[in-house]
Amino acid sequence: MSPKEVIEFAKKNEASQFDLRFTDIPGLSQHISFPIQQLDESRFEEGFGIDGSSIRGWAVIHESDMLLIPDGTTAFMDPFSETPTLVMTCDVIDPITRQHYERDPRWIARKAEMYLKNSGLADEAFFGAEAEFFIFDNISFDQNQHSGYYYIDAEEGRWNSGRREDNLGYRPRYKEGYFPTPPTDHYQDLRADMVETMLRCGLNIECHHHEVATGGQCEIDQKFDTLLKSADNMMVYKYCVRNVAYQYGKTVTFMPKPIFGDNGSGMHCHQSLWKGGNPLFAGDCYAGLSQMALWYIGGLLKHARSLSAIIAPTTNSYKRLVPGYEAPVNLAYSRRNRSAAVRIPMYSASPKSKRVEFRPPDPSANPYLSFAALLMAGLDGILNKVDPGEPLDKDIYDLSPEEMKDVPAMPGSLDEALTCLEDDHSFLLKGDVFTDELIETYVSYKRRAEVDAVRLRPHPYEFALYYDI
């Protein structure tokens, strides 16, 4: 919608306030609200001032003034606010230079799209991300100088099968939660409500279902869209999922691995390039791919270890990315084989459906940074004609040690992933999409606020291992 159309849309829906949203470096949505009387067409250029000094990974105190410029194409009515509220996603602008703020993740995603067009290789990159999540009934956690714990409960959790009262059974077994019907699937109606809410917010939803893990693991799939739009949509998706669950008295987490001994939550990223309305990844090479698509895969695999710091960006991510378990840590590609880091879906022979699926990402990732980084890795593969090697159509987990020795793997920790990013990020700097300063800020923040914070604290299981040593 144009600014004029946004204002007409607000009047039609009797909006009395509007909410401006943006995203910090770790990927958490932020917002500020105003009375609707403050919105006129001029504000779509002039913007709205905010203090950015307390935003994670953003400005230092002496450069904290920022402007939010609303993007009218993102407008929707908030389905959760009691006060009729118009919502818009914003770009962040420096009020002095009137330039985009280099640490705004949405700007990085925009620059990635511009770099793609300027490269001449393609004019559109489409992303379809499958973000999984858990629905719990109760969560408690704390960490201080003398104690540390977490406690999860979910009515659907298999661990509640032995409960003596108020127990009707019907719970997914560990690692057997894929596609059961109700009543074993406790959340059909809740997910359906989430989907209906997303549709009202303008998202295009393909399907929803229970996922593999017990304890309420679910997935709702969105239809693919352009890189920036898909990232915007992921933020709305998370907002809807969390708030619908909250209305039901439930809590949702996008943590990659909240439950020990069961599957974690991934965010498989489907990607394809188009030019002039034509798909570029369809061809007569392996699995119906084009040579361009194979080079794109080569770029993803070449840079996967450094990408991991962005697409699997938490210490908890590496509880999921463990060799021999459910996550694809081995850097290979294959058609259909879900144990490979890159999979080529074979559901349809249509050239328009030909795409590559990168499976290591998880939903704790910032979608703007993740999608931009994945595109830059793939384009680097195309520009440098990176050979992805031979496909691996066997189940990787059944390979012998001799067969496995030449298959590279994802990092085993966030600290290792950040080191990989420090050593290999020149591909991200092309076209000034990412900057050295942003990479340094990101690595420094992650090491200080997450890696070191976890490393310094005793783990509860260490008491079971070592208390009587």
Side-chain angles (χ1 to χ4, degrees):
M1 291 185 281
S2 67
K4 181 179 180 180
E5 289 171 331
V6 169
I7 293 171
E8 291 173 352
F9 176 75
K11 289 179 179 178
K12 178 182 177 182
N13 287 279
E14 300 181 342
S16 59
Q17 296 192 20
F18 63 99
D19 197 55
L20 301 183
R21 298 191 181 170
F22 57 99
T23 304
D24 64 13
I25 292 293
L28 188 66
S29 185
Q30 313 283 332
H31 81 128
I32 182 171
S33 300
F34 301 84
I36 198 68
Q37 290 80 4
Q38 293 200 39
L39 185 66
D40 59 45
E41 291 186 49
S42 67
R43 301 303 289 268
F44 287 82
E45 291 187 6
E46 296 173 4
F48 296 83
I50 63 164
D51 175 6
S53 61
S54 296
I55 304 302
R56 294 181 299 174
W58 274 27
V60 291
I61 193 71
H62 64 279
E63 298 176 339
S64 59
D65 289 346
M66 302 286 169
L67 288 176
L68 299 181
I69 306 294
D71 183 344
T73 66
T74 66
F76 65 91
M77 292 300 296
D78 192 328
F80 304 107
S81 177
E82 292 186 11
T83 302
T85 301
L86 175 75
V87 177
M88 287 181 285
T89 301
C90 297
D91 294 306
V92 184
I93 302 295
D94 185 303
I96 306 301
T97 66
R98 299 294 300 185
Q99 299 297 310
H100 284 273
Y101 185 48
E102 290 296 338
R103 297 190 194 180
D104 174 18
R106 195 168 192 259
W107 172 231
I108 294 168
R110 280 191 185 278
K111 287 192 290 183
E113 290 189 322
M114 290 188 290
Y115 175 74
L116 173 66
K117 291 180 181 179
N118 291 336
S119 74
L121 296 173
D123 48 38
E124 287 184 307
F126 286 102
F127 278 74
E130 304 169 346
E132 299 163 352
F133 54 91
F134 280 87
I135 302 171
F136 296 145
D137 287 275
N138 189 68
I139 176 69
S140 57
F141 51 88
D142 197 11
Q143 179 79 54
N144 52 49
Q145 282 74 15
H146 68 279
S147 67
Y149 70 90
Y150 68 89
Y151 183 80
I152 295 168
D153 201 13
E155 170 61 31
E156 196 199 70
R158 188 69 179 182
W159 59 85
N160 277 318
S161 294
R163 195 173 66 203
R164 300 302 296 271
E165 297 177 352
D166 301 320
N167 190 350
L168 301 178
Y170 294 112
R171 294 181 176 87
R173 298 174 183 86
Y174 292 99
K175 295 184 177 290
E176 293 185 24
Y178 208 55
F179 286 5
T181 59
T184 302
D185 177 0
H186 287 212
Y187 297 122
Q188 171 68 20
D189 289 338
L190 176 52
R191 288 197 311 273
D193 197 347
M194 291 173 176
V195 168
E196 293 302 309
T197 303
M198 291 176 191
L199 293 172
R200 292 201 301 274
C201 292
L203 301 188
N204 192 341
I205 303 301
E206 292 187 329
C207 65
H208 66 94
H209 59 85
H210 201 285
E211 257 297 336
V212 174
T214 191
Q217 191 184 36
C218 297
E219 180 179 315
I220 301 173
D221 290 342
Q222 302 181 67
K223 186 175 177 61
F224 67 88
D225 212 318
T226 57
L227 186 156
L228 180 64
K229 187 62 177 172
S230 289
D232 284 341
N233 289 347
M234 184 56 67
M235 301 307 294
V236 177
Y237 172 97
K238 288 186 172 183
Y239 180 70
C240 291
V241 166
R242 289 187 178 115
N243 280 279
V244 172
Y246 197 76
Q247 289 180 330
Y248 277 70
K250 310 288 185 182
T251 179
V252 159
T253 183
F254 289 94
M255 260 181 84
K257 190 74 170 183
I259 297 178
F260 169 67
D262 211 340
N263 279 34
S265 293
M267 186 177 71
H268 307 151
C269 291
H270 297 253
Q271 303 158 63
S272 63
L273 299 181
W274 291 56
K275 188 172 185 179
N278 297 311
L280 300 180
F281 277 9
D284 55 5
C285 297
Y286 173 79
L289 293 176
S290 65
Q291 182 61 65
M292 174 184 278
L294 289 175
W295 287 331
Y296 190 98
I297 291 172
L300 291 177
L301 296 177
K302 175 183 176 181
H303 299 297
R305 287 176 56 80
S306 59
L307 286 171
S308 63
I310 297 173
I311 56 89
T314 67
T315 59
N316 186 251
S317 298
Y318 299 86
K319 304 293 193 296
R320 169 181 171 262
L321 292 174
V322 177
Y325 290 85
E326 81 270 12
V329 299
N330 297 294
L331 300 177
Y333 71 102
S334 175
R335 59 187 171 195
R336 305 180 68 179
N337 190 342
R338 283 173 164 79
S339 63
V342 176
R343 187 178 75 95
I344 300 94
M346 302 298 290
Y347 298 119
S348 171
S350 170
K352 293 183 177 181
S353 69
K354 192 55 64 178
R355 61 196 187 276
V356 301
E357 176 191 2
F358 193 56
R359 296 176 64 80
D362 69 57
S364 67
N366 183 322
Y368 298 104
L369 300 182
S370 296
F371 299 167
L374 290 170
L375 177 63
M376 296 302 289
L379 293 181
D380 185 69
I382 296 171
L383 291 169
N384 291 292
K385 299 181 178 180
V386 176
D387 183 0
E390 293 299 315
L392 197 56
D393 287 331
K394 300 178 183 179
D395 186 335
I396 293 174
Y397 303 135
D398 290 337
L399 294 180
S400 67
E402 185 66 24
E403 292 174 300
M404 281 296 300
K405 69 178 183 180
D406 295 325
V407 180
M410 294 286 283
S413 69
L414 178 58
D415 193 27
E416 184 183 353
L418 292 169
T419 299
C420 292
L421 180 60
E422 288 176 313
D423 294 341
D424 174 30
H425 63 263
S426 60
F427 69 99
L428 296 173
L429 305 179
K430 294 178 180 177
D432 294 323
V433 175
F434 288 76
T435 64
D436 276 318
E437 192 267 348
L438 176 71
I439 299 292
E440 291 169 6
T441 298
Y442 182 87
V443 170
S444 175
Y445 172 84
K446 285 286 179 180
R447 280 227 167 90
R448 182 187 70 256
E450 299 178 30
V451 172
D452 289 345
V454 171
R455 182 167 53 199
L456 290 170
R457 287 165 169 80
H459 189 285
Y461 195 62
E462 288 179 319
F463 286 83
L465 289 173
Y466 308 128
Y467 186 76
D468 61 349
I469 199 165

